[in-house]
Amino acid sequence: MTTLTTARMTGLFGFNQEAWIKLGLMLLALALMLIGLVFPLYTLLLKSVQNSAGEFIGLANYRHYFSTPSLVNSIANSFFIAIMTMCLVVVLAFFCAYGITRTCMPGKKVFKVLTLLPILAPSLLPAISLVYIFGNQGYLKGLLGGESVYGPIGIVIGMCFWIFPHALMILVTALSNSDARLYEAARSLKTPAWRTFLTVTLPGIRYGLMSCAFVVFTLAITDFGVPKIIGGQYNLLATDIYKQVVGQQNFQMGAVVSMILLLPAVLTFIADRWVQRKQTSQLSARAVPYQPSPSPVRDWVFAVLCFSVAGIILLMIGTAVYASLIQFWPYNLTYTLRHYQFDGLGGSGWESWFNSLKMASGVAVIGTLVIFTVAWMVEKTKEFSLLRQWVHLFAILPMAVPGMVLGLAYIFFFNHPNNPLNILYGTLAILILNTLVHFYTVCHLTSMTALKQLDPEFEAVGASLKVPFWRTYLRVTLPTSLPAVLDISVYLFVNAMTTVSAVIFLYGPDTRLASVAVLHLDEAGYFASAAAMSVLILLTSIVVKILHAMCTHLILKRSQIWRQR
Amino acid sequence: MGDVMRTIQQPSLAALVGQTAFMPDSDISESICLEIEGLSKSFGTFVALNSIDLTINEGEFVCFLGPSGCGKTTLLRAIAGLEPQSSGRIVQMGKEISHLPPQHRDFGIVFQSYALFPNLTLADNIAYGLRNQRHTRKAIQARVQELMSLIGLEGSEKKYPAQLSGGQQQRVALARALATEPGLLLLDEPLSALDAQVRVHLRQQIKALQKTLGVTTVMVTHDQEEALTMADRIVVMNHGVIEQVGTPEEVYRHPKSAFVAQFVGNMNFLSAEVCSPTAVMIGAQRYTTQPHALENKRPVHLAIRPEEVVLTSSGQAESQLEARVIHIEYLGAFLRLTCDVTSADIQLRVDIQHADAVQHQIQLGKDVHLALPAASCRVFRQDGN
């Protein structure tokens, strides 16, 4: 019985060594979240109740804020924009999702791919395109009937463009999860179609609809890129933070606006978590997926609708591509690649693209490893339940924090002269940390879902066979979750490539990013170069996305033998 | 133990079953494998295990039997160290393991879901624990071969779990658990995910394998038939306490409580009143019973199994009832009659053979005479104890 003696030996000399390692890993995860999220936010809160000399002055900053009409107006503006965007996007996304899931319209696959495109571009791209389409020299300016695109109209259109895919994905999932047996029951009871829609379809997706509305609202109220480019004199909370900090160097007021922007984001986040919980309990494992049957009129109506949407998406992207390829709109329409040379634009040129590439790769590799491992610790360990709950909470929290707020919080925390971590300031490392934390939540939840699908006893079997837990993680858990892991890494990469809100405060002279460069080029009046840089980001994301699709395909093909159910 | 395993030549386990499965347990040594003392476990205010005491001998096959939520799985997981107890002690082979993590305990475990690693071949699954023991590659391969033939799956080393049937997966899980030659085998409802026929077949195979290897085995099940056919001893549990520990025959023939009586097998319960240490009254009629220790006048249950009720022709035996057949259930090998007793407001279920049914011309509405043999009449208190 050699096993017995070895067990006794380890029992004596290294009592529960694995538990210590787990504790160590868990504390590291907690430290990451404290440094990357909690401490910066706390510093931000402190700043909002201090004066410029760092003395505590209570709510004086807030009083000042609420007595300045030009600042308070932004609250109403932000809500107006967010609610408008929410209504438009949810309705549009609902029809398109219905077309994909409940009709036999032609070209579903093509449509799905086209609707993905906006996610792969920075939110600055639609704004730039809108300038070319509806701006002072826009080719469709007449359609606005004299209204200026620089303001709420442009902001709402731009936001609808890049938020639409997010809403569509949520609603497609909600609509695909419906149970075909309910529809069969309704039909056998001779229920008219409109009543089936009201009593079966809508109740089935009501949580999906609510969740979708919350997500759209949050994205719209926190977005910075679109209003920055096309907002004109129309002030929003997100752009106010930038103006206060970068324009007026008024950090205290920036902190106050951040706290105010944090509030609706946190509230919708809480509501969304509540809705999500309801939604998962509603699904039954025995549901039969719904298969639509052809109906020519309906199918073509939805096809026309969906492809009009796809057409608009292509028009927006096409405009940016076209703008980047011609000499000088609208006077010299000859083609040229010179805008892609970024001549004489210093750090805003190719260098920034390489920086973005480095940063995005770093976030994708490090982030995937860290996030999946932490999710695995949270989901699969039995010990330290209190610690696990805290880590889980901190992992979900970043979704509630707008990028501008997180970025500003990082300035306050990391730029403080007494913080030993301030050597990170202005480096690629802080950009990676910030982006990792900023997009942590979705990856964490994806990991948790993938892990929950695994047999809960893998770890117990490993332990009973005296195999250390990390070996079971590397040999079984990680390989079986590989598709989810790849999804996470590409999500992180694309977001790191396109994000502008948080990193706008954090780049250094040597670490300017492509998305930040777009903003600077636009500010400096190099519109064609700004368009070129956005197109470059879009192309990079598309290439990575295609690589990811190929990888996933290969992996699934190789593992088909054991993955079959 | 490993030597025993290596001497087995038969690739098929089915061949072993006839010789070993139902032999008396004369060869069980009396040395103690596992001692559980005062083991309790609560989840918040819910008490899952309430001061469990249990001793399991080496080489024994013990079944934890009980309804869902009775604490049987919790007890198994406490033995494995997967869900540490709130209080109490567990001693394995003279060594206290109460606070050891699973990886420092000596056991192999098979789960209801099997938990086979889907991305590893059968050979890699079985070798999973071996690779850690610094065996040579050759020794591992030999051991895997040996186990594969032991479970009758030789030649399938390169297959993946998803390519196997449920029963085959189950056997691979068993081989994986046995690969490192653990001193204790834990089976957590290993058969409940399988079809009825495979289940019967596999339960003979597992039992035979356990006999051959002599490995101490604890199995959790809610299926009384499984427990009765496989176990050397059954531990009947309910609401976190042990109701009875005994051989299958003891548990079935001499249930210690009304709960055991009705959970294992079928049982008629008739309301009665104690009138002497060997008799009870039902209404105005007296019935002789097994000796009991309950005081006179106490309301009790007279318990008798449906197959123990005797169908007689007409009034000659004592303890006899007149009744009318009100329902006939056809159960294949036998018939189950529901009889309305004429003299009292009670119903009795009676199992009879087809031959008896023919002889007594059983049909709906038929008046019959039933005898309750004293040796089969058990007496239980009405409050459930």
Side-chain angles (χ1 to χ4, degrees), chain B residues 17-225:
Chain B
V17 173
Q19 310 155 23
T20 54
F22 302 107
M23 283 202 317
D25 311 320
S26 53
D27 56 336
I28 288 180
S29 57
E30 284 307 304
S31 61
I32 292 167
C33 171
L34 201 67
E35 260 182 295
I36 296 167
E37 290 168 19
L39 202 77
S40 295
K41 168 88 185 173
S42 28
F43 299 98
T45 54
F46 174 73
V47 180
L49 293 176
N50 191 357
S51 193
I52 298 283
D53 293 306
L54 183 66
T55 303
I56 293 171
N57 294 323
E58 232 181 305
E60 221 180 359
F61 194 123
V62 173
C63 271
F64 295 169
L65 177 66
S68 51
C70 71
K72 54 190 192 297
T73 298
T74 312
L75 181 55
L76 187 90
R77 292 179 77 89
I79 294 173
L82 296 170
E83 257 163 50
Q85 66 280 2
S86 311
S87 64
R89 264 162 45 93
I90 305 174
V91 176
Q92 187 179 2
M93 303 302 282
K95 173 193 169 197
E96 161 129 22
I97 59 166
S98 316
H99 301 292
L100 289 186
Q103 57 271 24
H104 293 161
R105 300 190 185 194
D106 178 31
F107 70 95
I109 190 163
V110 176
F111 291 103
Q112 185 178 352
S113 63
Y114 320 137
L116 290 176
F117 303 132
N119 59 326
L120 303 182
T121 61
L122 301 195
D124 284 341
N125 261 288
I126 293 175
Y128 198 76
L130 295 172
R131 288 194 15 166
N132 212 40
Q133 296 186 338
R134 299 201 195 94
H135 290 301
T136 62
R137 185 177 288 270
K138 234 178 164 178
I140 291 175
Q141 212 177 354
R143 179 84 178 126
V144 169
Q145 285 295 332
E146 179 188 34
L147 284 157
M148 288 295 279
S149 63
L150 192 66
I151 58 169
L153 280 174
E154 59 271 80
S156 304
E157 286 84 357
K158 293 268 175 293
K159 283 191 182 169
Y160 288 92
Q163 295 170 290
L164 302 184
S165 72
Q168 290 171 326
Q169 291 187 26
Q170 219 287 332
R171 274 141 64 192
V172 175
L174 195 62
R176 181 178 64 182
L178 290 170
T180 52
E181 301 177 17
L184 177 64
L185 180 62
L186 304 176
L187 309 172
D188 183 9
E189 307 235 9
L191 301 174
S192 52
L194 298 170
D195 296 340
Q197 286 203 341
V198 181
R199 200 150 58 192
V200 171
H201 182 62
L202 213 56
R203 107 184 152 200
Q204 293 172 354
Q205 289 201 344
I206 292 178
K207 176 68 181 170
L209 186 65
Q210 188 268 339
K211 276 275 170 189
T212 322
L213 304 177
V215 57
T216 314
T217 303
V218 177
M219 180 171 94
V220 161
T221 179
H222 63 267
D223 183 335
Q224 42 158 313
E225 208 178 293

Side-chain angles (χ1 to χ4, degrees), chain A residues 137-304:
Chain A
Q137 287 166 331
Y139 57 85
L140 290 177
K141 190 174 178 247
L143 284 182
L144 289 185
E147 290 290 325
S148 167
V149 75
Y150 296 98
I153 299 179
I155 299 176
V156 169
I157 301 176
M159 285 194 177
C160 285
F161 171 84
W162 81 269
I163 296 175
F164 175 77
H166 296 267
L168 186 69
M169 279 194 273
I170 297 174
L171 290 181
V172 164
T173 313
L175 279 163
S176 341
N177 279 338
S178 293
D179 192 344
R181 294 173 305 176
L182 294 177
Y183 289 89
E184 283 160 9
R187 223 180 24 236
S188 69
L189 293 167
K190 309 205 176 10
T191 319
W194 61 268
R195 202 163 158 241
T196 310
F197 182 80
L198 287 181
T199 54
V200 180
T201 310
L202 272 187
I205 62 157
R206 65 177 186 275
Y207 294 123
L209 267 177
M210 283 159 79
S211 182
C212 175
F214 290 142
V215 167
V216 174
F217 179 86
T218 311
L219 287 173
I221 206 164
T222 57
D223 182 51
F224 169 70
V226 174
K228 176 74 186 73
I229 300 272
I230 206 163
Q233 297 306 310
Y234 195 76
N235 291 332
L236 297 177
L237 288 171
T239 44
D240 276 356
I241 299 177
Y242 184 73
K243 278 181 199 155
Q244 291 296 333
V245 173
V246 175
Q248 306 179 9
Q249 300 285 312
N250 188 343
F251 290 95
Q252 285 66 38
M253 201 41 75
V256 170
V257 184
S258 295
M259 294 312 291
I260 287 164
L261 180 58
L262 194 55
L263 210 61
V266 168
L267 288 180
T268 35
F269 164 77
I270 292 170
D272 186 46
R273 294 302 305 163
W274 178 77
V275 164
Q276 295 268 337
R277 201 162 298 166
K278 290 265 178 181
Q279 192 179 21
T280 43
S281 61
Q282 201 191 24
L283 279 174
S284 102
R286 307 183 61 184
V288 182
Y290 179 86
Q291 295 289 349
S293 48
S295 149
V297 177
R298 179 202 63 192
D299 293 349
W300 279 105
V301 167
F302 275 99
V304 168

Side-chain angles (χ1 to χ4, degrees), chain A residues 3 455 466 471-472 475 562, chain B residues 105 113 118-119 128 132-133:
Chain A
T3 45
D455 194 303
K466 323 261 177 294
R471 186 166 305 168
T472 303
R475 269 196 83 192
W562 57 264
Chain B
R105 300 190 185 194
S113 63
N119 59 326
Y128 198 76
N132 212 40
Q133 296 186 338

